[in-house]
Amino acid sequence: MGSWRVSPGLPVGEKDDDDCDDERDHVRPPIDVVSFDGSLLRILGAASRALSARLSDELQLVGVTSQQWLVLQEVAHARYIEPSEVAKNLEMTRPTVTEILRRLRERGLVASETRSFDARRRVHRPTSLGSQVVERGLVHANRVVGQATVAMTQPDQVRLGELLAQVSSNLAAARKPSLE
């Protein structure tokens, strides 16, 4: 298994007082990148693929794909939402979300209606059946999370959630400049 060596000195993101030519040099990186041998990337990738596969298997029992369930869950959470908002919240393309919503509508899991102030804009809401699918899917999703964290203590699970949230936040922040 690979190793990570934490850089000595200041906490991540804190500035040091050394003179340097580039503003980026003032912030110490959290990790000495040279010591990274790729094992963390392999571990994160394997965990992501295993989680996705297990979630897909479980959600098949409910009759939806994992992407359909995520979109349906987002619609149910918001109660009334436009496709562009779903796409933004789930970091999916709008055409993908539009196609998923069309399929969910065909199956009677979501309903759509026009906005009263703009007939070109449609909002989506869950149907009663769609809400039931979200709830049943949540039971299956929680089963998968339970299987993934079975050997962890509750504090370890909380810490894992915090670390993964930080990873997600770091990646989202790093991606924003390239999207503008």
Side-chain angles (χ1 to χ4, degrees), residues 88-101:
K88 179 182 162 204
N89 293 348
L90 296 178
E91 295 185 7
M92 293 179 169
T93 65
R94 177 147 182 205
T96 298
V97 168
T98 300
E99 178 60 21
I100 292 170
L101 285 168

Side-chain angles (χ1 to χ4, degrees), residues 1 66 72 78 85:
M1 191 136 127
S66 56
L72 186 56
E85 283 183 76

Side-chain angles (χ1 to χ4, degrees), residues 157-174:
Q157 291 176 15
V158 169
R159 183 66 181 141
L160 176 63
E162 293 168 349
L163 291 170
L164 291 174
Q166 185 62 55
V167 167
S168 181
S169 176
N170 291 347
L171 293 173

Side-chain angles (χ1 to χ4, degrees), residues 37-53:
D37 67 3
S39 63
L40 183 59
L41 184 60
R42 286 191 301 277
I43 292 167
L44 286 171
S48 174
R49 287 186 300 278
L51 185 65
S52 292

Side-chain angles (χ1 to χ4, degrees), residues 62 69 72-73 75-77 79 108-111 125-139:
V62 180
W69 185 71
L72 186 56
Q73 189 178 34
V75 170
H77 177 73
R79 299 297 299 158
L109 301 176
V110 297
R125 63 175 176 74
T127 62
S128 176
L129 180 59
S131 294
Q132 291 172 17
V133 169
V134 168
E135 291 303 317
R136 288 187 5 238
L138 192 55
V139 169

Side-chain angles (χ1 to χ4, degrees), residues 38-156:
S39 63
L40 183 59
L41 184 60
R42 286 191 301 277
I43 292 167
L44 286 171
S48 174
R49 287 186 300 278
L51 185 65
S52 292
R54 284 293 303 126
L55 184 59
S56 291
D57 291 347
E58 287 289 324
L59 291 174
Q60 278 183 346
L61 301 172
V62 180
V64 293
T65 67
S66 56
Q67 280 193 325
Q68 289 171 339
W69 185 71
L70 289 172
V71 169
L72 186 56
Q73 189 178 34
E74 189 69 23
V75 170
H77 177 73
R79 299 297 299 158
Y80 287 93
I81 191 167
E82 294 183 21
S84 59
E85 283 183 76
V86 174
K88 179 182 162 204
N89 293 348
L90 296 178
E91 295 185 7
M92 293 179 169
T93 65
R94 177 147 182 205
T96 298
V97 168
T98 300
E99 178 60 21
I100 292 170
L101 285 168
R102 182 189 65 75
R103 290 178 187 208
L104 294 173
R105 234 182 2 263
E106 286 175 356
R107 295 185 53 207
L109 301 176
V110 297
S112 67
E113 45 195 71
T114 33
R115 288 276 174 135
S116 58
F117 57 87
D118 186 350
R120 296 169 298 169
R121 296 177 77 178
R122 298 189 72 73
V123 292
H124 294 79
R125 63 175 176 74
T127 62
S128 176
L129 180 59
S131 294
Q132 291 172 17
V133 169
V134 168
E135 291 303 317
R136 288 187 5 238
L138 192 55
V139 169
H140 290 275
N142 283 332
R143 182 180 305 152
V144 172
V145 171
Q147 291 168 345
T149 59
V150 69
M152 294 181 187
T153 65
Q154 202 273 335
D156 287 343

